Amino acid sequence: MTPTTAPAERTDTFQGGAARDRSRRGSAGFTGAIAAEWTKLWSVRGPYFCLLAGLAITGVFTYYYAAIARINGHAVQPVGNASAASTVLAQFAVVILATIAVTSEYSTGSVRASLLWVPRRHRVHVAKAAVVGGVAFIAGIGFAIVGMVVAWGGFGGRASFEAGTTLTQILAIGSYQALIALLTVGVAFVTRHAAGALSILTTLLWALPSLLLGLGGPTLAAINDHLPHGAADHFMFIGTDAPHSAATSVLIVVAWAAAAHLIGLYVLRRRDA
């Protein structure tokens, strides 16, 4: 007689195979989403212009920073401080890049196709954040290195170079730009419009800190220390007084990015279901 397979065994085999198929499809689906977001990002000219603008801003600002330090006879400081200071403006190259990566799909209506191809909303959101964040990290490292090279001549001997310190600052600046990109993606998914996203981010990253520091006072300074760029200053700069540790400063920026990411994902699921 031909042996037969028990129904329970056949069911277990079928369910196990189905689970493996779902796992493979899920892995391939996320990889495909990453590839799609990468292709979409570089299929337009905007990101290229943003990165070139970031390099130009960094070069001009770091030389100006170093020249002022030389002219005014400031104490010798790590050369990376010039690159850290330039992020107050260079970060907006990353902000604009991340904003158009999200809002351009809403303005053209292509987001409908994206959500049809990748129906799981969290996968679309995470894939876009991963691609934009990765690009921002590499861009931040590039900005930091270019800024240090330019600033070295501008300092005229009033800057120090130590491999460990320099590497730490390069990675810190790259990490900050990546976190700002993640924050921007979350805000852009909430607003769906470039103007709205840029208005919020310009206020949060530049206008509000400028107002708080301009008015002065320990309370307003403490508030600024808990805003994204105010906190980031304390782990990007070396040799300055800080109200809390570098690790705490990193966690503050991470919290801002995570909050924006989760809110953006929630809105995407509720509104674009």
Side-chain angles (χ1 to χ4, degrees):
M1 295 179 63
T2 303
T4 59
T5 303
E9 292 178 357
R10 288 199 300 270
T11 301
D12 291 345
T13 301
F14 174 78
Q15 290 177 344
R20 287 191 294 271
D21 288 342
R22 286 195 298 271
S23 177
R24 286 194 293 268
R25 287 198 301 269
S27 176
F30 184 69
T31 302
I34 290 284
E37 294 301 333
W38 178 267
T39 301
K40 286 187 288 185
L41 181 66
W42 299 114
S43 63
V44 294
R45 297 176 182 176
Y48 298 98
F49 290 140
C50 289
L51 296 179
L52 289 174
L55 285 173
I57 291 169
T58 299
V60 172
F61 192 100
T62 50
Y63 187 83
Y64 172 79
Y65 179 96
I68 291 297
R70 183 189 73 246
I71 293 170
N72 293 332
H74 292 172
V76 174
Q77 59 183 297
V79 66
N81 281 1
S83 293
S86 71
T87 59
V88 70
L89 294 179
Q91 65 183 336
F92 288 104
V94 169
V95 166
I96 295 173
L97 184 152
T99 298
I100 62 177
V102 177
T103 60
S104 61
E105 290 197 66
Y106 282 100
S107 63
T108 61
S110 62
V111 67
R112 299 187 186 93
S114 296
L115 295 178
L116 284 174
W117 294 332
V118 187
R120 296 187 178 182
R121 302 307 191 245
H122 72 277
R123 187 174 292 168
V124 174
H125 195 279
V126 172
K128 195 175 290 289
V131 169
V132 174
V135 170
F137 178 73
I138 299 301
I141 288 178
F143 294 166
I145 294 173
V146 169
M148 291 177 186
V149 171
V150 172
W152 184 257
F155 272 117
R158 292 198 168 273
S160 61
F161 176 86
E162 295 180 3
T165 299
T166 301
L167 179 60
T168 298
Q169 289 189 285
I170 289 172
L171 293 177
I173 293 169
S175 298
Y176 173 69
Q177 297 286 21
L179 290 171
I180 288 302
L182 298 182
L183 187 153
T184 301
V185 168
V187 172
F189 268 114
V190 172
T191 63
R192 296 195 295 182
H193 297 285
L198 292 175
S199 296
I200 292 172
L201 293 162
T202 300
T203 300
L204 178 64
L205 299 175
W206 181 75
L208 185 56
S210 298
L211 178 64
L212 293 174
L213 295 177
L215 293 175
T219 301
L220 297 182
I223 294 174
N224 181 67
D225 289 334
H226 290 81
L227 295 178
H229 192 265
D233 275 346
H234 300 312
F235 67 80
M236 291 190 296
F237 276 89
I238 301 295
T240 59
D241 295 332
H244 37 244
S245 67
T248 300
S249 300
V250 171
L251 290 177
I252 290 172
V253 184
V254 168
W256 277 97
H261 181 87
L262 293 175
I263 294 171
L265 178 58
Y266 174 79
V267 172
L268 177 64
R269 282 177 165 176
R270 295 282 295 182
R271 184 183 55 205
D272 298 320

